[in-house]
Amino acid sequence: MENRSNFGSKLGVILASAGSAVGLGNVWRFPTEVGNNGGAAFILIYLLCVVFVGVPVMVSEFLIGRHTHANTISAYQKLAPGTWWRYEGVAGVFIAFLILSYYVVISGWTLYYFVLSLTGYFAQGKDYVACFSSFVSHPVQPIVYAAIFMLMTHLVISKGVESGIERFSKVMMPMLLFIIGILVVCSFGMPGASDGLSFLLRPDFSKVTTNVVLSAMGQAFFSLSLAMGCLCTYASYFGSDTRLVKTAFSVSAIDTVVAILSGFIIFPAVFSVADVEVNAGPGLVFITLPNVFYLAFSHMPVVGYVFSGLFYVLLLLAALTSAMSLHESVTAYVHESMHLSRRRSAALVSVSCMLLGVGCSLSFGPWSDYTVFGMTMFDLFDFVASKIIMPLGGIVICLFVGWKLDRKLVRDELTNGGTLRFRFFRFYLFLVRWAVPLAIALIFIHELLG
Ligand code: PHE
């Protein structure tokens, strides 16, 4: 495509891709998984999954995007015209659209909690369970917050690749890392923090079952933003000198460090409140932590204020950079294939996605009785996206690169036309042809049966 935009710098490439990967999944999902699955033992298994499953899939997505310099749907069409492989591109973009519609709802909750933290709400010691459920089931309030979040994402995306995504990632990612640093210090300063630390660092191998290994792999997949067309779309803006394998390792490393540091923030803090248990999912962030903030307020008001406010800013930044990549995956397709201007494409995506988002939000309140297969609209979207399309997409991407693409094309792309050395090429091929598809197939079957 002529005049296609590109990221302007190597740092921009890494920070934008890491921004996609670092999201709500790192900050609340990872610590919960660690807590439930044997502490450091889980972290160890997770690391193996990132290196042997996550990185090969990420490298494969990068090479498809960078080789074709096209949106995800056109990328597969270019590489395998007129074949069934193109449905992998279609599935990726479609699922990015669905995920965005419910991701903005949770991000809207985060925005609301950020506003609450500014008002000193967490100093007042409320019933945080009741507060959370009355907010999320309200027919209007959460939709307004979701819409504001969508507008923020929209404004960045409509500015374009270099002056939108890249420029904002370069500001937001360093801010995010800085905030994490401050929060780790706050958390370590809480009374009883050392119990939380020793819980996190003590490996309990007795809890490791096949289930735990499979959860670690699922977490790695979600956290690294794989199989949604996001990284493939970003890679289509990489320059010819970007080192794909190195970039995949850097992005995975940043994502993993943020996840582990989130554990360092959450566990010491949570253990400082004796009667609060580690909840799964949103409960951890919107119910457990408010109790922790209340405790911090009662000991040291300034720390309580900084801790609660910055924590929700951290979540917001993480959510925003991930939402940007989901939005871009769809916008790039609409812009390039439907021949609409970038601004109009972005507006079309934002508005239509927000309409679905309204449904997702209402499914926590007035629409909670409308279910399909026993799932509300929100649960259904999450189920289809993360339990079905994501694992299947991972398998298809690997098989596509491993078996369908010409070996020389793959080698050229990974070595930038032979100018770089890639000693593990055969090992990489073995992984994408056999090991990774088999491993993911195991998760998939497990998830469906479980
Ligand atoms: N990786 C993001 C997170 O950890 C979620 C995400 C998934 C973003 C897929 C984009 C694509 O929250």
Side-chain angles (χ1 to χ4, degrees):
M1 171 144 311
E2 65 288 350
N3 295 332
R4 207 164 181 278
S5 8
N6 264 343
F7 287 127
S9 67
K10 286 194 180 118
L11 187 67
V13 162
I14 291 181
L15 291 183
S17 313
S20 168
V22 172
L24 299 173
N26 299 58
V27 184
W28 55 255
R29 203 171 147 196
F30 181 80
T32 321
E33 297 269 336
V34 173
N36 295 336
N37 296 322
F42 178 86
I43 298 184
L44 213 87
I45 297 169
Y46 177 79
L47 289 178
L48 292 176
C49 291
V50 167
V51 174
F52 292 108
V53 180
V55 172
V57 177
M58 194 184 288
V59 167
S60 308
E61 284 206 47
F62 278 170
L63 86 85
I64 294 170
R66 209 260 305 261
H67 183 79
T68 53
H69 288 296
N71 65 77
T72 310
I73 295 185
S74 309
Y76 285 87
Q77 268 163 355
K78 275 188 177 178
L79 286 169
T83 60
W84 285 86
W85 294 105
R86 71 175 181 279
Y87 291 109
E88 169 49 31
V90 175
V93 171
F94 174 67
I95 280 313
F97 185 73
L98 280 196
I99 294 195
L100 184 60
S101 73
Y102 70 80
Y103 210 80
V104 290
V105 174
I106 307 190
S107 306
W109 300 350
T110 308
L111 187 58
Y112 173 70
Y113 271 66
F114 168 61
V115 175
L116 285 187
S117 71
L118 292 183
T119 63
Y121 186 80
F122 301 115
Q124 298 163 16
K126 304 254 183 196
D127 176 354
Y128 293 113
V129 178
C131 159
F132 178 64
S133 40
S134 76
F135 171 68
V136 299
S137 58
H138 194 279
V140 182
Q141 246 187 338
I143 295 176
V144 172
Y145 282 96
I148 298 174
F149 182 85
M150 180 62 105
L151 184 68
M152 287 155 65
T153 314
H154 172 83
L155 290 177
V156 176
I157 293 299
S158 56
K159 281 198 172 307
V161 176
E162 198 173 342
S163 42
I165 299 173
E166 180 171 0
R167 199 158 58 115
F168 282 87
S169 302
K170 276 182 169 169
V171 177
M172 289 195 273
M173 289 307 285
M175 252 166 84
L176 182 143
L177 295 174
F178 182 64
I179 292 176
I180 288 184
I182 299 180
L183 289 177
V184 171
V185 174
C186 282
S187 185
F188 280 15
M190 298 284 289
S194 56
D195 292 345
L197 263 188
S198 58
F199 174 78
L200 189 66
L201 294 177
R202 189 176 351 100
D204 180 358
F205 283 99
S206 70
K207 283 207 174 159
V208 176
T209 56
T210 38
N211 249 343
V212 171
V213 178
L214 297 173
S215 313
M217 197 148 26
Q219 170 64 19
F221 237 75
F222 183 81
S223 189
L224 296 173
S225 302
L226 301 175
M228 294 296 125
C230 295
L231 294 180
C232 187
T233 306
Y234 275 9
S236 72
Y237 308 127
F238 289 0
S240 53
D241 58 343
T242 303
R243 297 169 170 224
L244 300 187
V245 179
K246 201 173 152 198
T247 306
F249 271 106
S250 311
V251 171
S252 307
I254 296 176
D255 188 66
T256 307
V257 168
V258 170
I260 293 176
L261 287 180
S262 300
F264 279 127
I265 293 171
I266 287 176
F267 280 105
V270 167
F271 271 70
S272 64
V273 187
D275 57 345
V276 173
E277 53 180 291
V278 183
N279 277 304
L284 176 67
V285 169
F286 299 112
I287 297 168
T288 309
L289 284 179
N291 282 303
V292 172
F293 298 143
Y294 172 61
L295 180 89
F297 265 106
S298 56
H299 283 273
M300 303 155 275
V302 178
V303 174
Y305 213 72
V306 172
F307 200 1
S308 56
L310 281 187
F311 182 80
Y312 292 111
V313 174
L314 166 70
L315 262 188
L316 261 184
L317 289 175
L320 189 57
T321 48
S322 294
M324 278 155 45
S325 71
L326 288 162
H327 200 302
E328 179 62 23
S329 174
V330 191
T331 301
Y333 166 69
V334 175
H335 171 47
E336 291 172 8
S337 300
M338 299 186 181
H339 307 293
L340 282 179
S341 73
R342 193 177 164 89
R343 274 174 193 280
R344 283 186 180 209
S345 314
L348 185 68
V349 174
S350 299
V351 171
S352 47
C353 205
M354 194 54 224
L355 287 178
L356 276 187
V358 168
C360 290
S361 182
L362 291 178
S363 70
F364 286 93
W367 288 8
S368 59
D369 290 335
Y370 298 121
T371 55
V372 182
F373 304 120
M375 289 180 271
T376 62
M377 186 164 162
F378 183 98
D379 294 336
L380 182 73
F381 282 12
D382 186 38
F383 178 80
V384 173
S386 54
K387 299 266 159 66
I388 299 193
I389 309 277
M390 222 183 228
L392 282 185
I395 296 177
V396 175
I397 290 168
C398 287
L399 296 180
F400 183 68
V401 171
W403 298 100
K404 171 73 186 159
L405 287 188
D406 180 34
R407 213 178 147 123
K408 181 168 176 320
L409 181 157
V410 174
R411 185 188 273 277
D412 276 354
E413 207 53 56
L414 297 185
T415 58
N416 289 356
T419 55
L420 302 171
R421 279 186 65 195
F422 184 27
R423 266 183 295 159
F424 299 107
F425 183 66
R426 292 173 78 90
F427 182 56
Y428 164 76
L429 267 192
F430 164 75
L431 287 177
V432 293
R433 283 184 163 182
W434 300 102
V436 178
L438 272 174
I440 303 174
L442 273 180
I443 313 184
F444 185 58
I445 293 166
H446 162 84
E447 295 274 10
L448 279 195
L449 298 182

